[in-house]
Amino acid sequence: MPEYPEVYTVVEKLKELVIGKNIKKINVLYKNVFYDYNGEIKNLTIKDVRQFGKYILFFIDNYVLLSHLRMEGKYIISDKALSDKHILLNFEFSDGSYLNYHDVRKFGKFDLRRIENYLKTPPLMDLGKTPYKITYNELLEKFYKRTTKIKQILLEQDVISGIGNIYADEILFKSEISPFKQASKITKCQAVKIIENAKEIFDKAIKNGGTTIYTYSALGNSGHFQNYLDVHLRENMPCKKCGNLIKKVKINGRGTYYCDRCQK
DNA sequence: CCCGTGCCCTGGCGGC
DNA sequence: TGCCGCCAGGGCACGG
């Protein structure tokens, strides 16, 4: 499931591969992946590719094309059109090559905005800052009055953006905070830890090309950070800090791994 | 505003 | 071997 480090990795690859390419047209092969598309992108050039939280932004002349990979979305470059049934959309370039969007679960989404207002409309207008930009005061302000468990709050992209289910577990483990703790009861010291550890974990994951669990890959390159996960997917295995067995529960429908001795 | 629930979607897996 | 049913989960639409 692509989170900040995986999206970062994909964007770096896309920059190398598609900036400067002319899009002859975009073919939507599965309607719901880009349901209100009206063929606006025609003979236009990709000027830039950027990351915004978990979103990939393609800057195409006066348009910004938003792409969210959700669970299993991935990009594949090819010399000719692919007929794989999991390819939901492709960019047909004027040089004859293609950028294909592949998504088995069909959860990913595309959305088109004008460059003048892409930051002033949903979903980007509602996104919180990433761990690299947010301050502990801003975070505490978001936690204030929230009675929900901290694990759930860290997944809310309007609170802090870029964290998904895997890294939320890793951040809370490293910060020694229970996933059940009420967000409003997080202390200043703990907010600082959450931010610092999120940055450290993201940096290390980016260095390792992201986390590959199940199917993630960045244009064919699998990540290696799964080998460095401290709690996620380690149910009944010894805690790397204290040896206590890692527990697995569900919080708001999300699989949550934690050490009930280290995390208070 | 805040919170909880259910939906989207399908490959893979456990159980029998 | 085959089939059934359930699980995985990010973001959003609801209803309370």
Side-chain angles (χ1 to χ4, degrees):
Chain A
M1 41 231 77
E3 306 177 33
Y4 187 99
E6 291 74 37
V7 174
Y8 179 93
T9 307
V10 171
V11 166
E12 289 304 299
K13 289 282 171 205
L14 286 172
K15 280 182 182 174
E16 291 170 25
L17 295 167
V18 303
I19 288 179
K21 288 220 183 200
N22 183 268
I23 301 171
K24 197 167 154 190
K25 59 178 176 152
I26 288 176
N27 300 300
V28 179
L29 309 174
Y30 175 73
K31 180 78 180 155
N32 288 345
V33 79
F34 197 178
Y35 68 94
D36 56 353
Y37 183 57
N38 293 312
E40 293 92 335
I41 308 289
K42 202 187 284 180
N43 296 315
L44 300 178
T45 301
I46 300 179
K47 296 289 167 61
D48 201 3
V49 186
R50 292 184 213 161
Q51 175 176 20
F52 199 102
K54 296 187 203 170
Y55 288 86
I56 296 167
L57 310 185
F58 293 92
F59 286 77
I60 305 165
D61 289 326
N62 290 321
Y63 291 102
V64 179
L65 179 63
L66 281 58
S67 163
H68 197 301
L69 306 173
R70 296 285 184 99
M71 309 301 299
E72 306 204 4
K74 62 192 67 149
Y75 283 101
I76 302 164
I77 288 273
S78 66
D79 292 335
K80 50 187 175 183
L82 301 177
S83 57
D84 186 319
K85 67 172 179 173
H86 300 304
I87 291 171
L88 311 185
L89 175 152
N90 66 44
F91 296 53
E92 186 175 341
F93 295 122
S94 56
D95 65 4
S97 64
Y98 289 81
L99 178 65
N100 307 274
Y101 177 72
H102 182 285
D103 189 343
V104 172
R105 298 258 163 93
K106 299 185 167 85
F107 270 23
K109 289 280 179 282
F110 286 81
D111 225 333
L112 193 62
R113 295 284 180 274
R114 300 286 308 185
I115 202 162
E116 309 87 64
N117 70 353
Y118 76 102
L119 290 173
K120 297 173 195 149
T121 54
L124 301 189
M125 66 178 282
D126 298 319
L127 280 196
K129 294 181 180 177
T130 67
Y132 294 103
K133 295 277 176 69
I134 202 165
T135 66
Y136 70 83
N137 271 327
E138 288 170 326
L139 200 55
L140 287 173
E141 217 166 282
K142 303 268 195 180
F143 290 168
Y144 176 64
K145 281 188 179 171
R146 299 299 304 270
T147 57
T148 317
K149 300 168 183 71
I150 183 64
K151 163 73 188 266
Q152 186 185 328
I153 301 287
L154 288 184
L155 297 176
E156 293 183 6
Q157 302 301 299
D158 54 344
V159 171
I160 182 168
S161 64
I163 299 172
N165 200 43
I166 298 170
Y167 294 107
D169 284 355
E170 295 297 310
I171 291 163
L172 289 174
F173 176 76
K174 196 164 188 188
S175 303
E176 301 185 342
I177 298 168
S178 164
F180 296 103
K181 187 164 179 128
Q182 271 190 27
S184 61
K185 294 184 177 167
I186 293 290
T187 64
K188 172 180 158 183
C189 176
Q190 288 177 319
V192 170
K193 272 192 198 168
I194 287 172
I195 294 169
E196 291 309 308
N197 289 328
K199 286 191 284 192
E200 273 182 41
I201 289 165
F202 278 9
D203 285 345
K204 188 173 175 190
I206 287 167
K207 273 187 192 141
N208 286 280
T211 299
T212 298
I213 292 178
Y214 311 120
T215 59
Y216 160 78
S217 77
L219 295 126
N221 301 287
S222 291
H224 303 287
F225 191 70
Q226 64 277 14
N227 302 320
Y228 301 96
L229 294 175
D230 284 333
V231 271
H232 197 79
L233 297 182
R234 300 193 75 246
E235 184 181 14
N236 289 326
M237 292 167 74
C239 168
K240 292 188 178 182
K241 290 182 186 172
C242 77
N244 189 31
L245 297 187
I246 297 298
K247 293 199 160 41
K248 182 187 182 186
V249 292
K250 279 215 172 197
I251 291 180
N252 197 36
R254 303 287 181 262
T256 299
Y257 299 81
Y258 71 107
C259 172
D260 66 356
R261 192 186 293 170
C262 291
Q263 295 176 249
K264 297 296 178 191

